[in-house]
Amino acid sequence: MTARAADRARYDRATAAYDAPLALVDLAAFDANAADLVRRAHGKPIRVASKSVRCRALLERVLAREGFTGIMSFTLAESLWLARSGFDDVLLAYPSADRAGYAELAADPKLAASVTVMVDDVAQLDLIDASRAGGREVVRVCLELDTSLRLLGGRVRVGARRSPLHSPAQLAEVARSVVRRPGFELVGIMAYEGHVAGVGDAVAGRPVRSRAIRLMQAAARRELAERRGAAVRAVRAVAPGLEFVNGGGTGSVQHTAAEDAVTEIAAGSGLYVPRLFDNYTSFRGRPAALFAMPVVRRPGVGAVTVLGGGYPASGAAGPDRLPVPYLPEGLRYDPQEGAGEVQTPLLGSPADDLLIGDKVWFRHAKAGELCERFDVLHLVEGDTVTATVPTYRGEGHTFL
C-alpha cells in the first residue's frame, strides 16, 4: 500500500460516521508543516497569515508553538474580530476603506493597541482621520514597500501590483507624513515578495520554464535584499522606534530570514500545503487540508460523478486554480466538464472500484479559501476525528 493509499484508508475510517461533503485537517501533517516553517526561519518569528488558515482554533494551535508570534490579517473587520477574541498582535496586510471599522478602532484602547493597519498613501491617513467619529486613540501604522522587480528601465515588471512605494525615498517620505501627523504611530514595514514566495520554481514537465523562474527569483532576491535594507535604514532615520520589518511568505521563508533588515517572516499556506505549493525546490510540505465529495453516479466504465467540487481559487483563471482529485490516486477531470458547481465527473481506472456514497478526496489550489466553502473542519489524528471546529464561515463571518 502506498503512503497516499494509507492516508486515504485513515481518512475514510476517521470520517466513516460523517457524510460528505466535508473538510478535514490532518493534525500530524499540520504540525509537521509548522515545524518545517520554523526550521526554515532560522530563529526569526513567523507571523501567521490568517487568510491562509481562516479557523480560529487552528490559529490558536499554531500560535501556541514556539517560533510563531502574531497574526497577519486580511480585512479590518477581521482584525477587530480577532482582537476582540483575544489575539493581541494583529497586522492588517492590506489598506482598508472600512470607515465604520476605523471609527471602532479609534474609539477602543484595547483594539487600538492590538491592531496595526496598512498604509501606502497619505490619502489613506486622510480617510482614517475622517472616519474617527470622535475617537482619539492613536492608530498604529505599518508601511508597505513594493517588492516588484523592475527591468529595462521599468518597462518590465515582475511581481504583484501592491504598494506604489518602490524606492527607499518614497517610503521615507510617507513615513515622515505619518510621524508628523497627530493620532498615528509608525511601528512597522512590510514587504511581500509574492513573485518569490508564491511562485513555484519546479513546474512539473516544464524544465525550461522552471529554470527561467529560478533565475528570475535569484535576481529578484538580490535586488530586493539591497533595496529593502536601504528602505529600512531610511525609515528608521525617521522613526527610530520601528518595532518590526515583515517580509516573505511560505515559498521564501529561508531566503527572507537571511536578510538582516527583516525581523519577522509571514507564512500561512505552508501549514495546509495546498496544491499550488507542490512545485518548490526549497521545501516539501505534507498536504494537511483536504475536502471530500461523495460519489453519486456511476455513468460508465472508468467514470464516476461526485456531488459539487467546483471550488476554483482566486488569481488568473487557469487549470492550476482548480482543486485536484487526490485520493484515490489516478482520477482526473473530464476535459469537457472540469470541476462543476453541482456535479463533477471523474475519469480513470480507480473509478471502477468506487461505490455510490464513497468519498473522493480533493486538495484545494489555495490554502484558506477552502474554508469559505465549509463551516467546520474535522481535525484528524491517526484514524480518528478528535475535534470538529468552526471555520470563519462557521462562526458567521465571510470577510471577503
Side-chain angles (χ1 to χ4, degrees):
M1 181 181 290
T2 67
R4 278 173 61 175
D7 283 341
R8 180 194 175 202
R10 284 195 303 114
Y11 300 149
D12 282 348
R13 287 195 300 270
T15 63
Y18 301 90
D19 289 334
L22 61 81
L24 68 73
V25 171
D26 184 329
L27 290 180
F30 182 90
D31 290 343
N33 293 334
D36 187 62
L37 289 170
V38 170
R39 176 189 64 80
R40 291 197 287 135
H42 299 299
K44 290 190 176 177
I46 297 172
R47 185 179 291 274
V48 184
S50 64
K51 80 178 185 67
S52 299
V53 179
R54 302 192 203 201
C55 171
R56 278 202 299 166
L58 290 174
L59 288 172
E60 290 168 353
R61 183 183 184 91
V62 73
L63 285 170
R65 299 179 64 96
E66 185 174 353
F68 290 86
T69 304
I71 289 176
M72 176 177 284
S73 58
F74 59 96
T75 74
L76 182 55
E78 180 213 12
S79 306
L80 300 177
W81 176 65
L82 290 172
R84 287 193 298 269
S85 301
F87 297 97
D88 60 4
D89 181 7
V90 182
L91 169 63
L92 175 57
Y94 305 87
S96 176
D98 181 354
R99 292 176 172 83
Y102 282 131
E104 186 177 353
L105 179 68
D108 189 313
K110 180 182 182 301
L111 296 179
S114 301
V115 175
T116 301
V117 304
M118 192 63 59
V119 167
D120 57 33
D121 190 315
V122 173
Q124 294 155 357
L125 301 177
D126 295 338
L127 187 146
I128 295 171
D129 269 338
S131 304
R132 286 178 181 270
R136 296 183 178 275
E137 295 300 323
V138 172
V139 175
R140 292 166 54 86
V141 168
C142 177
L143 301 182
E144 181 168 1
L145 176 70
D146 170 48
T147 64
S148 64
L149 177 65
R150 298 184 181 181
L151 305 170
L152 302 178
R155 293 191 295 276
V156 175
R157 174 195 179 104
V158 181
R161 294 184 182 276
R162 292 177 64 105
S163 171
L165 308 177
H166 186 78
S167 71
Q170 289 173 317
L171 201 69
E173 181 57 34
V174 177
R176 282 188 283 272
S177 296
V178 175
V179 169
R180 288 195 297 259
R181 194 156 182 156
F184 294 92
E185 180 184 9
L186 179 55
V187 298
I189 296 172
M190 187 187 90
Y192 171 57
E193 53 269 42
H195 49 302
V196 178
V199 177
D201 62 350
V203 184
R206 304 287 297 276
V208 175
R209 177 175 173 78
S210 297
R211 176 161 176 74
I213 291 172
R214 289 194 290 273
L215 290 172
M216 175 277 291
Q217 290 179 339
R221 289 197 301 268
R222 289 192 298 270
E223 186 276 337
L224 179 59
E226 181 177 346
R227 181 161 53 87
R228 180 155 44 197
V232 171
R233 291 191 295 273
V235 172
R236 286 196 184 279
V238 176
L242 207 64
E243 297 175 13
F244 64 85
V245 177
N246 181 283
T250 288
S252 72
V253 171
Q254 66 274 28
H255 302 297
T256 308
E259 295 183 34
D260 291 338
V262 175
T263 66
E264 63 176 40
I265 313 300
S269 295
L271 296 169
Y272 288 168
V273 187
R275 64 169 295 198
L276 283 178
F277 284 83
D278 286 346
N279 303 320
Y280 286 79
T281 57
S282 60
F283 75 99
R284 288 287 183 272
R286 292 172 56 184
L290 299 95
F291 67 93
M293 309 305 289
V295 174
V296 292
R297 285 176 169 161
R298 293 170 50 86
V301 175
V304 293
T305 300
V306 299
L307 182 71
Y311 301 157
S314 61
D320 66 333
R321 300 290 145 167
L322 295 178
V324 61
Y326 184 59
L327 302 171
E329 298 179 68
L331 293 174
R332 65 187 186 278
Y333 291 123
D334 181 332
Q336 296 185 62
E337 295 195 48
E341 178 188 10
V342 291
Q343 73 160 36
T344 297
L346 297 170
L347 308 178
S349 59
D352 294 328
D353 296 323
L354 291 170
L355 304 177
I356 299 296
D358 282 353
K359 296 180 176 78
V360 174
W361 296 91
F362 292 77
R363 294 173 64 203
H364 204 269
K366 296 183 76 173
E369 292 182 18
L370 168 65
C371 295
E372 298 299 328
R373 300 288 184 165
F374 293 91
D375 57 4
V376 298
L377 297 173
H378 299 290
L379 306 185
V380 172
E381 297 185 70
D383 61 358
T384 304
V385 172
T386 57
T388 297
V389 297
T391 61
Y392 281 11
R393 173 178 168 170
E395 296 201 65
H397 297 288
T398 51
F399 293 108
L400 275 180

